[in-house]
Amino acid sequence: MQELLTAISDPTRRAALAILWNGGEHCVCELMARCEASQSRMSRHMKVLREAGLVLDRRDAQWVRYRRNPDLALDFVAVIDAVLTAELNIERKVT
């Protein structure tokens, strides 16, 4: 659980997870643009998410594509769902 909590503690990693969470595969270049992060910074963040088992990656020529890990334990899915939902609700209240 600690690795999961550490992985989702960073706002950039949560933003990337929010993009990947509803399915689909996204290249690191898209994540960089949407999270406003440099390539090296985004790659480091995605490494943390991958090592925590939250996302999977695959190389596609010069691109690296990421997707949600479909085999993630349901307890972990519930935690991430709750965190992403809470963050979205907070953002809605602020704007």
Side-chain angles (χ1 to χ4, degrees):
M1 181 60 76
Q2 185 60 47
E3 192 172 22
L4 166 75
L5 295 174
T6 299
I8 64 173
S9 68
D10 182 87
T12 301
R13 290 193 290 268
R14 285 194 310 275
L17 267 181
I19 294 165
L20 298 172
W21 208 242
N22 291 327
E25 198 174 60
H26 300 272
C27 69
V28 74
C29 59
E30 179 184 349
L31 297 172
M32 288 167 44
R34 291 180 63 183
C35 296
E36 298 179 358
S38 67
Q39 189 276 329
S40 62
R41 183 170 168 239
M42 196 77 242
S43 292
R44 281 194 308 274
H45 283 304
M46 296 312 294
K47 179 181 177 187
V48 172
L49 294 174
R50 188 186 71 241
E51 288 177 349
L54 304 179
V55 300
L56 301 175
D57 66 339
R58 74 175 178 89
R59 184 158 292 282
D60 179 19
Q62 76 269 25
W63 306 109
V64 178
R65 300 188 184 277
Y66 291 93
R67 63 186 166 96
R68 174 181 171 171
N69 182 351
D71 298 324
L72 191 60
L74 292 179
D75 291 343
F76 286 2
V77 170
V79 169
I80 295 168
D81 283 341
V83 168
L84 294 178
T85 299
E87 190 163 54
L88 183 62
N89 289 338
I90 290 168
E91 288 174 8
R92 286 181 181 158
K93 287 179 184 178
V94 171
T95 58

